[in-house]
PDB file of all heavy atoms in Angstrom:
ATOM      1  N   SER A  15      10.556 181.319-164.592  1.00  0.00           N
ATOM      2  CA  SER A  15      11.358 182.474-164.990  1.00  0.00           C
ATOM      3  C   SER A  15      10.573 183.383-165.930  1.00  0.00           C
ATOM      4  O   SER A  15      10.702 184.604-165.868  1.00  0.00           O
ATOM      5  CB  SER A  15      12.665 182.014-165.642  1.00  0.00           C
ATOM      6  OG  SER A  15      12.379 181.282-166.818  1.00  0.00           O
ATOM      7  N   ILE A  16       9.732 182.815-166.803  1.00  0.00           N
ATOM      8  CA  ILE A  16       8.902 183.640-167.679  1.00  0.00           C
ATOM      9  C   ILE A  16       7.861 184.403-166.864  1.00  0.00           C
ATOM     10  O   ILE A  16       7.608 185.581-167.114  1.00  0.00           O
ATOM     11  CB  ILE A  16       8.237 182.771-168.772  1.00  0.00           C
ATOM     12  CG1 ILE A  16       9.307 182.272-169.743  1.00  0.00           C
ATOM     13  CG2 ILE A  16       7.148 183.543-169.504  1.00  0.00           C
ATOM     14  CD1 ILE A  16       8.804 181.270-170.743  1.00  0.00           C
ATOM     15  N   CYS A  17       7.259 183.743-165.876  1.00  0.00           N
ATOM     16  CA  CYS A  17       6.234 184.392-165.051  1.00  0.00           C
ATOM     17  C   CYS A  17       6.800 185.515-164.198  1.00  0.00           C
ATOM     18  O   CYS A  17       6.091 186.475-163.882  1.00  0.00           O
ATOM     19  CB  CYS A  17       5.546 183.368-164.160  1.00  0.00           C
ATOM     20  SG  CYS A  17       4.509 182.214-165.070  1.00  0.00           S
ATOM     21  N   LEU A  18       8.052 185.420-163.818  1.00  0.00           N
ATOM     22  CA  LEU A  18       8.643 186.411-162.926  1.00  0.00           C
ATOM     23  C   LEU A  18       9.360 187.541-163.654  1.00  0.00           C
ATOM     24  O   LEU A  18       9.932 188.425-163.018  1.00  0.00           O
ATOM     25  CB  LEU A  18       9.610 185.723-161.953  1.00  0.00           C
ATOM     26  CG  LEU A  18       8.948 184.732-160.992  1.00  0.00           C
ATOM     27  CD1 LEU A  18       9.996 184.028-160.146  1.00  0.00           C
ATOM     28  CD2 LEU A  18       7.929 185.417-160.118  1.00  0.00           C
ATOM     29  N   LEU A  19       9.318 187.542-164.993  1.00  0.00           N
ATOM     30  CA  LEU A  19       9.921 188.635-165.740  1.00  0.00           C
ATOM     31  C   LEU A  19       9.144 189.920-165.479  1.00  0.00           C
ATOM     32  O   LEU A  19       7.921 189.902-165.392  1.00  0.00           O
ATOM     33  CB  LEU A  19       9.900 188.331-167.239  1.00  0.00           C
ATOM     34  CG  LEU A  19      10.900 187.291-167.733  1.00  0.00           C
ATOM     35  CD1 LEU A  19      10.668 187.033-169.214  1.00  0.00           C
ATOM     36  CD2 LEU A  19      12.323 187.746-167.506  1.00  0.00           C
ATOM     37  N   PRO A  20       9.836 191.039-165.357  1.00  0.00           N
ATOM     38  CA  PRO A  20       9.111 192.299-165.150  1.00  0.00           C
ATOM     39  C   PRO A  20       8.345 192.672-166.417  1.00  0.00           C
ATOM     40  O   PRO A  20       8.872 192.593-167.517  1.00  0.00           O
ATOM     41  CB  PRO A  20      10.211 193.308-164.833  1.00  0.00           C
ATOM     42  CG  PRO A  20      11.457 192.701-165.380  1.00  0.00           C
ATOM     43  CD  PRO A  20      11.280 191.215-165.339  1.00  0.00           C
ATOM     44  N   LEU A  21       7.109 193.078-166.239  1.00  0.00           N
ATOM     45  CA  LEU A  21       6.274 193.482-167.351  1.00  0.00           C
ATOM     46  C   LEU A  21       6.386 194.983-167.560  1.00  0.00           C
ATOM     47  O   LEU A  21       6.608 195.732-166.609  1.00  0.00           O
ATOM     48  CB  LEU A  21       4.814 193.111-167.067  1.00  0.00           C
ATOM     49  CG  LEU A  21       4.547 191.610-166.914  1.00  0.00           C
ATOM     50  CD1 LEU A  21       3.095 191.397-166.516  1.00  0.00           C
ATOM     51  CD2 LEU A  21       4.864 190.877-168.185  1.00  0.00           C
ATOM     52  N   PRO A  22       6.241 195.457-168.794  1.00  0.00           N
ATOM     53  CA  PRO A  22       6.284 196.903-169.011  1.00  0.00           C
ATOM     54  C   PRO A  22       5.099 197.571-168.341  1.00  0.00           C
ATOM     55  O   PRO A  22       4.009 197.008-168.263  1.00  0.00           O
ATOM     56  CB  PRO A  22       6.195 197.037-170.535  1.00  0.00           C
ATOM     57  CG  PRO A  22       5.614 195.763-171.003  1.00  0.00           C
ATOM     58  CD  PRO A  22       6.018 194.711-170.005  1.00  0.00           C
ATOM     59  N   GLN A  23       5.333 198.765-167.847  1.00  0.00           N
ATOM     60  CA  GLN A  23       4.278 199.471-167.134  1.00  0.00           C
ATOM     61  C   GLN A  23       3.226 199.964-168.127  1.00  0.00           C
ATOM     62  O   GLN A  23       3.550 200.512-169.175  1.00  0.00           O
ATOM     63  CB  GLN A  23       4.847 200.643-166.357  1.00  0.00           C
ATOM     64  CG  GLN A  23       3.869 201.202-165.372  1.00  0.00           C
ATOM     65  CD  GLN A  23       4.581 201.943-164.260  1.00  0.00           C
ATOM     66  OE1 GLN A  23       5.738 202.270-164.373  1.00  0.00           O
ATOM     67  NE2 GLN A  23       3.872 202.206-163.193  1.00  0.00           N
ATOM     68  N   VAL A  24       1.973 199.734-167.786  1.00  0.00           N
ATOM     69  CA  VAL A  24       0.881 200.110-168.660  1.00  0.00           C
ATOM     70  C   VAL A  24       0.240 201.373-168.114  1.00  0.00           C
ATOM     71  O   VAL A  24      -0.093 201.457-166.944  1.00  0.00           O
ATOM     72  CB  VAL A  24      -0.164 198.973-168.732  1.00  0.00           C
ATOM     73  CG1 VAL A  24      -1.323 199.369-169.608  1.00  0.00           C
ATOM     74  CG2 VAL A  24       0.487 197.700-169.213  1.00  0.00           C
ATOM     75  N   TYR A  25       0.060 202.361-168.974  1.00  0.00           N
ATOM     76  CA  TYR A  25      -0.553 203.614-168.585  1.00  0.00           C
ATOM     77  C   TYR A  25      -1.958 203.691-169.151  1.00  0.00           C
ATOM     78  O   TYR A  25      -2.242 203.184-170.234  1.00  0.00           O
ATOM     79  CB  TYR A  25       0.275 204.797-169.094  1.00  0.00           C
ATOM     80  CG  TYR A  25       1.632 204.877-168.454  1.00  0.00           C
ATOM     81  CD1 TYR A  25       2.752 204.375-169.097  1.00  0.00           C
ATOM     82  CD2 TYR A  25       1.790 205.425-167.196  1.00  0.00           C
ATOM     83  CE1 TYR A  25       4.003 204.427-168.506  1.00  0.00           C
ATOM     84  CE2 TYR A  25       3.026 205.488-166.594  1.00  0.00           C
ATOM     85  CZ  TYR A  25       4.133 204.992-167.252  1.00  0.00           C
ATOM     86  OH  TYR A  25       5.351 205.047-166.657  1.00  0.00           O
ATOM     87  N   ALA A  26      -2.850 204.324-168.421  1.00  0.00           N
ATOM     88  CA  ALA A  26      -4.223 204.482-168.890  1.00  0.00           C
ATOM     89  C   ALA A  26      -4.248 205.480-170.044  1.00  0.00           C
ATOM     90  O   ALA A  26      -3.607 206.519-170.005  1.00  0.00           O
ATOM     91  CB  ALA A  26      -5.114 204.962-167.763  1.00  0.00           C
ATOM     92  N   ALA A  27      -5.008 205.134-171.054  1.00  0.00           N
ATOM     93  CA  ALA A  27      -5.143 206.033-172.198  1.00  0.00           C
ATOM     94  C   ALA A  27      -5.985 207.238-171.786  1.00  0.00           C
ATOM     95  O   ALA A  27      -6.898 207.124-170.980  1.00  0.00           O
ATOM     96  CB  ALA A  27      -5.795 205.301-173.352  1.00  0.00           C
ATOM     97  N   GLU A  28      -5.671 208.377-172.346  1.00  0.00           N
ATOM     98  CA  GLU A  28      -6.435 209.583-172.021  1.00  0.00           C
ATOM     99  C   GLU A  28      -7.862 209.421-172.518  1.00  0.00           C
ATOM    100  O   GLU A  28      -8.092 208.910-173.594  1.00  0.00           O
ATOM    101  CB  GLU A  28      -5.795 210.806-172.660  1.00  0.00           C
ATOM    102  CG  GLU A  28      -4.501 211.195-172.001  1.00  0.00           C
ATOM    103  CD  GLU A  28      -3.953 212.481-172.574  1.00  0.00           C
ATOM    104  OE1 GLU A  28      -4.756 213.346-172.948  1.00  0.00           O
ATOM    105  OE2 GLU A  28      -2.728 212.603-172.641  1.00  0.00           O
ATOM    106  N   GLY A  29      -8.802 209.830-171.702  1.00  0.00           N
ATOM    107  CA  GLY A  29     -10.198 209.742-172.091  1.00  0.00           C
ATOM    108  C   GLY A  29     -10.895 208.516-171.521  1.00  0.00           C
ATOM    109  O   GLY A  29     -12.102 208.507-171.369  1.00  0.00           O
ATOM    110  N   LEU A  30     -10.150 207.458-171.214  1.00  0.00           N
ATOM    111  CA  LEU A  30     -10.783 206.266-170.646  1.00  0.00           C
ATOM    112  C   LEU A  30     -11.130 206.472-169.182  1.00  0.00           C
ATOM    113  O   LEU A  30     -12.172 206.040-168.722  1.00  0.00           O
ATOM    114  CB  LEU A  30      -9.878 205.047-170.802  1.00  0.00           C
ATOM    115  CG  LEU A  30      -9.644 204.573-172.235  1.00  0.00           C
ATOM    116  CD1 LEU A  30      -8.692 203.385-172.229  1.00  0.00           C
ATOM    117  CD2 LEU A  30     -10.955 204.208-172.894  1.00  0.00           C
ATOM    118  N   LEU A  31     -10.250 207.131-168.463  1.00  0.00           N
ATOM    119  CA  LEU A  31     -10.495 207.439-167.058  1.00  0.00           C
ATOM    120  C   LEU A  31     -10.685 208.938-166.932  1.00  0.00           C
ATOM    121  O   LEU A  31      -9.902 209.723-167.473  1.00  0.00           O
ATOM    122  CB  LEU A  31      -9.319 206.997-166.183  1.00  0.00           C
ATOM    123  CG  LEU A  31      -9.040 205.502-166.146  1.00  0.00           C
ATOM    124  CD1 LEU A  31      -7.775 205.242-165.342  1.00  0.00           C
ATOM    125  CD2 LEU A  31     -10.202 204.756-165.541  1.00  0.00           C
ATOM    126  N   SER A  32     -11.701 209.332-166.224  1.00  0.00           N
ATOM    127  CA  SER A  32     -11.942 210.771-166.066  1.00  0.00           C
ATOM    128  C   SER A  32     -11.271 211.265-164.787  1.00  0.00           C
ATOM    129  O   SER A  32     -11.921 211.584-163.809  1.00  0.00           O
ATOM    130  CB  SER A  32     -13.444 211.052-166.035  1.00  0.00           C
ATOM    131  OG  SER A  32     -14.037 210.347-164.976  1.00  0.00           O
ATOM    132  N   LEU A  33      -9.964 211.296-164.803  1.00  0.00           N
ATOM    133  CA  LEU A  33      -9.200 211.766-163.656  1.00  0.00           C
ATOM    134  C   LEU A  33      -8.948 213.257-163.792  1.00  0.00           C
ATOM    135  O   LEU A  33      -8.761 213.777-164.894  1.00  0.00           O
ATOM    136  CB  LEU A  33      -7.866 211.024-163.581  1.00  0.00           C
ATOM    137  CG  LEU A  33      -7.957 209.522-163.345  1.00  0.00           C
ATOM    138  CD1 LEU A  33      -6.562 208.908-163.399  1.00  0.00           C
ATOM    139  CD2 LEU A  33      -8.606 209.226-162.017  1.00  0.00           C
ATOM    140  N   PRO A  34      -8.944 213.978-162.665  1.00  0.00           N
ATOM    141  CA  PRO A  34      -8.675 215.421-162.741  1.00  0.00           C
ATOM    142  C   PRO A  34      -7.206 215.690-163.041  1.00  0.00           C
ATOM    143  O   PRO A  34      -6.338 214.837-162.838  1.00  0.00           O
ATOM    144  CB  PRO A  34      -9.053 215.915-161.349  1.00  0.00           C
ATOM    145  CG  PRO A  34      -8.911 214.733-160.474  1.00  0.00           C
ATOM    146  CD  PRO A  34      -9.245 213.538-161.320  1.00  0.00           C
ATOM    147  N   VAL A  35      -6.949 216.875-163.519  1.00  0.00           N
ATOM    148  CA  VAL A  35      -5.586 217.306-163.803  1.00  0.00           C
ATOM    149  C   VAL A  35      -4.844 217.412-162.474  1.00  0.00           C
ATOM    150  O   VAL A  35      -5.419 217.860-161.467  1.00  0.00           O
ATOM    151  CB  VAL A  35      -5.629 218.678-164.527  1.00  0.00           C
ATOM    152  CG1 VAL A  35      -4.224 219.183-164.817  1.00  0.00           C
ATOM    153  CG2 VAL A  35      -6.448 218.574-165.792  1.00  0.00           C
ATOM    154  N   PRO A  36      -3.591 216.998-162.413  1.00  0.00           N
ATOM    155  CA  PRO A  36      -2.838 217.123-161.160  1.00  0.00           C
ATOM    156  C   PRO A  36      -2.826 218.557-160.660  1.00  0.00           C
ATOM    157  O   PRO A  36      -2.651 219.501-161.420  1.00  0.00           O
ATOM    158  CB  PRO A  36      -1.427 216.667-161.540  1.00  0.00           C
ATOM    159  CG  PRO A  36      -1.629 215.770-162.711  1.00  0.00           C
ATOM    160  CD  PRO A  36      -2.803 216.324-163.445  1.00  0.00           C
ATOM    161  N   GLY A  37      -3.055 218.718-159.366  1.00  0.00           N
ATOM    162  CA  GLY A  37      -3.092 220.028-158.739  1.00  0.00           C
ATOM    163  C   GLY A  37      -4.491 220.602-158.633  1.00  0.00           C
ATOM    164  O   GLY A  37      -4.700 221.618-157.986  1.00  0.00           O
ATOM    165  N   THR A  38      -5.486 219.948-159.240  1.00  0.00           N
ATOM    166  CA  THR A  38      -6.869 220.408-159.183  1.00  0.00           C
ATOM    167  C   THR A  38      -7.515 219.901-157.899  1.00  0.00           C
ATOM    168  O   THR A  38      -7.304 218.757-157.504  1.00  0.00           O
ATOM    169  CB  THR A  38      -7.672 219.880-160.387  1.00  0.00           C
ATOM    170  OG1 THR A  38      -6.997 220.230-161.574  1.00  0.00           O
ATOM    171  CG2 THR A  38      -9.064 220.428-160.409  1.00  0.00           C
ATOM    172  N   MET A  39      -8.303 220.762-157.264  1.00  0.00           N
ATOM    173  CA  MET A  39      -8.986 220.366-156.035  1.00  0.00           C
ATOM    174  C   MET A  39     -10.110 219.374-156.356  1.00  0.00           C
ATOM    175  O   MET A  39     -10.907 219.591-157.264  1.00  0.00           O
ATOM    176  CB  MET A  39      -9.570 221.593-155.350  1.00  0.00           C
ATOM    177  CG  MET A  39     -10.207 221.309-154.022  1.00  0.00           C
ATOM    178  SD  MET A  39     -10.674 222.868-153.261  1.00  0.00           S
ATOM    179  CE  MET A  39     -11.551 222.278-151.874  1.00  0.00           C
ATOM    180  N   VAL A  40     -10.153 218.285-155.630  1.00  0.00           N
ATOM    181  CA  VAL A  40     -11.172 217.261-155.834  1.00  0.00           C
ATOM    182  C   VAL A  40     -12.260 217.456-154.792  1.00  0.00           C
ATOM    183  O   VAL A  40     -11.987 217.528-153.595  1.00  0.00           O
ATOM    184  CB  VAL A  40     -10.559 215.849-155.705  1.00  0.00           C
ATOM    185  CG1 VAL A  40     -11.615 214.792-155.899  1.00  0.00           C
ATOM    186  CG2 VAL A  40      -9.434 215.665-156.703  1.00  0.00           C
ATOM    187  N   ARG A  41     -13.494 217.550-155.227  1.00  0.00           N
ATOM    188  CA  ARG A  41     -14.613 217.775-154.312  1.00  0.00           C
ATOM    189  C   ARG A  41     -15.040 216.458-153.670  1.00  0.00           C
ATOM    190  O   ARG A  41     -14.853 215.386-154.234  1.00  0.00           O
ATOM    191  CB  ARG A  41     -15.780 218.387-155.055  1.00  0.00           C
ATOM    192  CG  ARG A  41     -15.424 219.713-155.681  1.00  0.00           C
ATOM    193  CD  ARG A  41     -16.676 220.431-156.145  1.00  0.00           C
ATOM    194  NE  ARG A  41     -16.352 221.625-156.879  1.00  0.00           N
ATOM    195  CZ  ARG A  41     -16.063 222.793-156.340  1.00  0.00           C
ATOM    196  NH1 ARG A  41     -16.044 222.937-155.042  1.00  0.00           N
ATOM    197  NH2 ARG A  41     -15.794 223.840-157.096  1.00  0.00           N
ATOM    198  N   LEU A  42     -15.663 216.580-152.498  1.00  0.00           N
ATOM    199  CA  LEU A  42     -16.152 215.405-151.790  1.00  0.00           C
ATOM    200  C   LEU A  42     -17.412 214.874-152.462  1.00  0.00           C
ATOM    201  O   LEU A  42     -18.208 215.627-153.018  1.00  0.00           O
ATOM    202  CB  LEU A  42     -16.474 215.756-150.336  1.00  0.00           C
ATOM    203  CG  LEU A  42     -15.293 216.132-149.456  1.00  0.00           C
ATOM    204  CD1 LEU A  42     -15.786 216.563-148.082  1.00  0.00           C
ATOM    205  CD2 LEU A  42     -14.343 214.967-149.321  1.00  0.00           C
ATOM    206  N   SER A  43     -17.589 213.567-152.384  1.00  0.00           N
ATOM    207  CA  SER A  43     -18.826 212.984-152.898  1.00  0.00           C
ATOM    208  C   SER A  43     -19.932 213.197-151.864  1.00  0.00           C
ATOM    209  O   SER A  43     -19.659 213.431-150.683  1.00  0.00           O
ATOM    210  CB  SER A  43     -18.630 211.497-153.166  1.00  0.00           C
ATOM    211  OG  SER A  43     -18.267 210.832-151.991  1.00  0.00           O
ATOM    212  N   PRO A  44     -21.206 213.126-152.281  1.00  0.00           N
ATOM    213  CA  PRO A  44     -22.285 213.317-151.313  1.00  0.00           C
ATOM    214  C   PRO A  44     -22.280 212.209-150.254  1.00  0.00           C
ATOM    215  O   PRO A  44     -21.858 211.075-150.524  1.00  0.00           O
ATOM    216  CB  PRO A  44     -23.558 213.268-152.158  1.00  0.00           C
ATOM    217  CG  PRO A  44     -23.164 212.710-153.466  1.00  0.00           C
ATOM    218  CD  PRO A  44     -21.693 212.904-153.625  1.00  0.00           C
ATOM    219  N   ALA A  45     -22.726 212.573-149.053  1.00  0.00           N
ATOM    220  CA  ALA A  45     -22.767 211.606-147.954  1.00  0.00           C
ATOM    221  C   ALA A  45     -23.729 210.482-148.290  1.00  0.00           C
ATOM    222  O   ALA A  45     -24.771 210.699-148.904  1.00  0.00           O
ATOM    223  CB  ALA A  45     -23.198 212.301-146.668  1.00  0.00           C
ATOM    224  N   TYR A  46     -23.376 209.268-147.884  1.00  0.00           N
ATOM    225  CA  TYR A  46     -24.186 208.099-148.194  1.00  0.00           C
ATOM    226  C   TYR A  46     -24.038 207.077-147.086  1.00  0.00           C
ATOM    227  O   TYR A  46     -22.929 206.803-146.635  1.00  0.00           O
ATOM    228  CB  TYR A  46     -23.742 207.498-149.527  1.00  0.00           C
ATOM    229  CG  TYR A  46     -24.352 206.158-149.819  1.00  0.00           C
ATOM    230  CD1 TYR A  46     -25.699 206.037-150.090  1.00  0.00           C
ATOM    231  CD2 TYR A  46     -23.583 205.009-149.824  1.00  0.00           C
ATOM    232  CE1 TYR A  46     -26.271 204.819-150.363  1.00  0.00           C
ATOM    233  CE2 TYR A  46     -24.137 203.784-150.099  1.00  0.00           C
ATOM    234  CZ  TYR A  46     -25.481 203.688-150.374  1.00  0.00           C
ATOM    235  OH  TYR A  46     -26.044 202.477-150.630  1.00  0.00           O
ATOM    236  N   GLU A  47     -25.141 206.526-146.651  1.00  0.00           N
ATOM    237  CA  GLU A  47     -25.134 205.434-145.683  1.00  0.00           C
ATOM    238  C   GLU A  47     -25.667 204.201-146.390  1.00  0.00           C
ATOM    239  O   GLU A  47     -26.832 204.165-146.779  1.00  0.00           O
ATOM    240  CB  GLU A  47     -26.008 205.775-144.479  1.00  0.00           C
ATOM    241  CG  GLU A  47     -25.454 206.888-143.622  1.00  0.00           C
ATOM    242  CD  GLU A  47     -26.327 207.168-142.416  1.00  0.00           C
ATOM    243  OE1 GLU A  47     -27.065 206.264-141.991  1.00  0.00           O
ATOM    244  OE2 GLU A  47     -26.276 208.301-141.919  1.00  0.00           O
ATOM    245  N   PRO A  48     -24.859 203.177-146.570  1.00  0.00           N
ATOM    246  CA  PRO A  48     -25.315 201.983-147.285  1.00  0.00           C
ATOM    247  C   PRO A  48     -26.268 201.157-146.426  1.00  0.00           C
ATOM    248  O   PRO A  48     -26.338 201.343-145.201  1.00  0.00           O
ATOM    249  CB  PRO A  48     -24.022 201.214-147.539  1.00  0.00           C
ATOM    250  CG  PRO A  48     -23.129 201.623-146.422  1.00  0.00           C
ATOM    251  CD  PRO A  48     -23.479 203.064-146.145  1.00  0.00           C
ATOM    252  N   PRO A  49     -27.009 200.233-147.045  1.00  0.00           N
ATOM    253  CA  PRO A  49     -27.837 199.321-146.246  1.00  0.00           C
ATOM    254  C   PRO A  49     -26.946 198.542-145.287  1.00  0.00           C
ATOM    255  O   PRO A  49     -25.847 198.133-145.640  1.00  0.00           O
ATOM    256  CB  PRO A  49     -28.460 198.391-147.282  1.00  0.00           C
ATOM    257  CG  PRO A  49     -28.388 199.139-148.556  1.00  0.00           C
ATOM    258  CD  PRO A  49     -27.181 200.016-148.465  1.00  0.00           C
ATOM    259  N   LEU A  50     -27.432 198.349-144.066  1.00  0.00           N
ATOM    260  CA  LEU A  50     -26.626 197.725-143.034  1.00  0.00           C
ATOM    261  C   LEU A  50     -27.373 196.533-142.455  1.00  0.00           C
ATOM    262  O   LEU A  50     -28.550 196.645-142.100  1.00  0.00           O
ATOM    263  CB  LEU A  50     -26.331 198.749-141.928  1.00  0.00           C
ATOM    264  CG  LEU A  50     -25.422 198.328-140.799  1.00  0.00           C
ATOM    265  CD1 LEU A  50     -24.025 198.036-141.335  1.00  0.00           C
ATOM    266  CD2 LEU A  50     -25.356 199.415-139.761  1.00  0.00           C
ATOM    267  N   LEU A  51     -26.711 195.395-142.380  1.00  0.00           N
ATOM    268  CA  LEU A  51     -27.304 194.195-141.807  1.00  0.00           C
ATOM    269  C   LEU A  51     -27.377 194.351-140.290  1.00  0.00           C
ATOM    270  O   LEU A  51     -26.366 194.492-139.616  1.00  0.00           O
ATOM    271  CB  LEU A  51     -26.475 192.962-142.171  1.00  0.00           C
ATOM    272  CG  LEU A  51     -26.976 191.629-141.653  1.00  0.00           C
ATOM    273  CD1 LEU A  51     -28.309 191.272-142.297  1.00  0.00           C
ATOM    274  CD2 LEU A  51     -25.963 190.536-141.940  1.00  0.00           C
ATOM    275  N   LYS A  52     -28.606 194.356-139.745  1.00  0.00           N
ATOM    276  CA  LYS A  52     -28.802 194.532-138.311  1.00  0.00           C
ATOM    277  C   LYS A  52     -28.940 193.198-137.585  1.00  0.00           C
ATOM    278  O   LYS A  52     -28.598 193.081-136.425  1.00  0.00           O
ATOM    279  CB  LYS A  52     -30.057 195.375-138.036  1.00  0.00           C
ATOM    280  CG  LYS A  52     -29.913 196.815-138.449  1.00  0.00           C
ATOM    281  CD  LYS A  52     -28.985 197.533-137.514  1.00  0.00           C
ATOM    282  CE  LYS A  52     -28.988 199.013-137.803  1.00  0.00           C
ATOM    283  NZ  LYS A  52     -28.272 199.761-136.819  1.00  0.00           N
ATOM    284  N   GLY A  53     -29.488 192.189-138.285  1.00  0.00           N
ATOM    285  CA  GLY A  53     -29.655 190.902-137.634  1.00  0.00           C
ATOM    286  C   GLY A  53     -30.137 189.835-138.602  1.00  0.00           C
ATOM    287  O   GLY A  53     -30.545 190.122-139.719  1.00  0.00           O
ATOM    288  N   ILE A  54     -30.078 188.579-138.135  1.00  0.00           N
ATOM    289  CA  ILE A  54     -30.556 187.435-138.909  1.00  0.00           C
ATOM    290  C   ILE A  54     -31.464 186.614-138.015  1.00  0.00           C
ATOM    291  O   ILE A  54     -31.105 186.299-136.881  1.00  0.00           O
ATOM    292  CB  ILE A  54     -29.394 186.557-139.400  1.00  0.00           C
ATOM    293  CG1 ILE A  54     -28.451 187.349-140.280  1.00  0.00           C
ATOM    294  CG2 ILE A  54     -29.909 185.341-140.157  1.00  0.00           C
ATOM    295  CD1 ILE A  54     -27.222 186.584-140.698  1.00  0.00           C
ATOM    296  N   LYS A  55     -32.639 186.274-138.515  1.00  0.00           N
ATOM    297  CA  LYS A  55     -33.562 185.433-137.771  1.00  0.00           C
ATOM    298  C   LYS A  55     -33.555 184.044-138.401  1.00  0.00           C
ATOM    299  O   LYS A  55     -33.795 183.892-139.595  1.00  0.00           O
ATOM    300  CB  LYS A  55     -34.979 186.023-137.831  1.00  0.00           C
ATOM    301  CG  LYS A  55     -35.992 185.239-137.047  1.00  0.00           C
ATOM    302  CD  LYS A  55     -37.358 185.912-137.133  1.00  0.00           C
ATOM    303  CE  LYS A  55     -38.393 185.128-136.378  1.00  0.00           C
ATOM    304  NZ  LYS A  55     -39.720 185.734-136.520  1.00  0.00           N
ATOM    305  N   VAL A  56     -33.228 183.029-137.613  1.00  0.00           N
ATOM    306  CA  VAL A  56     -33.202 181.645-138.077  1.00  0.00           C
ATOM    307  C   VAL A  56     -34.412 180.934-137.481  1.00  0.00           C
ATOM    308  O   VAL A  56     -34.631 180.980-136.275  1.00  0.00           O
ATOM    309  CB  VAL A  56     -31.903 180.929-137.649  1.00  0.00           C
ATOM    310  CG1 VAL A  56     -31.868 179.511-138.153  1.00  0.00           C
ATOM    311  CG2 VAL A  56     -30.688 181.702-138.136  1.00  0.00           C
ATOM    312  N   HIS A  57     -35.197 180.285-138.318  1.00  0.00           N
ATOM    313  CA  HIS A  57     -36.389 179.579-137.854  1.00  0.00           C
ATOM    314  C   HIS A  57     -35.991 178.205-137.311  1.00  0.00           C
ATOM    315  O   HIS A  57     -35.320 177.435-137.996  1.00  0.00           O
ATOM    316  CB  HIS A  57     -37.392 179.437-139.002  1.00  0.00           C
ATOM    317  CG  HIS A  57     -37.911 180.748-139.476  1.00  0.00           C
ATOM    318  ND1 HIS A  57     -39.034 181.327-138.945  1.00  0.00           N
ATOM    319  CD2 HIS A  57     -37.449 181.619-140.410  1.00  0.00           C
ATOM    320  CE1 HIS A  57     -39.256 182.478-139.537  1.00  0.00           C
ATOM    321  NE2 HIS A  57     -38.301 182.683-140.429  1.00  0.00           N
ATOM    322  N   PRO A  58     -36.411 177.861-136.081  1.00  0.00           N
ATOM    323  CA  PRO A  58     -36.002 176.589-135.484  1.00  0.00           C
ATOM    324  C   PRO A  58     -36.568 175.371-136.222  1.00  0.00           C
ATOM    325  O   PRO A  58     -35.916 174.327-136.271  1.00  0.00           O
ATOM    326  CB  PRO A  58     -36.536 176.640-134.055  1.00  0.00           C
ATOM    327  CG  PRO A  58     -37.222 177.938-133.898  1.00  0.00           C
ATOM    328  CD  PRO A  58     -37.155 178.689-135.161  1.00  0.00           C
ATOM    329  N   ASP A  59     -37.760 175.492-136.811  1.00  0.00           N
ATOM    330  CA  ASP A  59     -38.341 174.346-137.508  1.00  0.00           C
ATOM    331  C   ASP A  59     -37.697 174.123-138.878  1.00  0.00           C
ATOM    332  O   ASP A  59     -37.713 173.015-139.406  1.00  0.00           O
ATOM    333  CB  ASP A  59     -39.858 174.531-137.671  1.00  0.00           C
ATOM    334  CG  ASP A  59     -40.218 175.839-138.356  1.00  0.00           C
ATOM    335  OD1 ASP A  59     -39.422 176.791-138.237  1.00  0.00           O
ATOM    336  OD2 ASP A  59     -41.273 175.891-138.999  1.00  0.00           O
TER     337      ASP A  59
END
């Protein structure tokens, strides 16, 4: 019953997260292609 009690909602303090003001246009991040695993070679010996 203690674990299932509703907890008070926690809000982020101003300045900790650099979020834009609501209604502001958010720009796209630059395009990025991460390293991609193409294959694995297993040695029989």
Side-chain angles (χ1 to χ4, degrees):
S15 62
I16 291 172
C17 291
L18 296 176
L19 286 175
L21 297 175
Q23 193 157 15
V24 178
Y25 294 98
E28 288 185 34
L30 293 178
L31 296 175
S32 59
L33 296 176
V35 179
T38 306
M39 184 174 173
V40 179
R41 300 193 187 277
L42 293 175
S43 60
Y46 170 69
E47 292 182 24
L50 184 64
L51 180 66
K52 291 288 188 172
I54 300 175
K55 182 179 179 183
V56 181
H57 296 270
D59 55 333

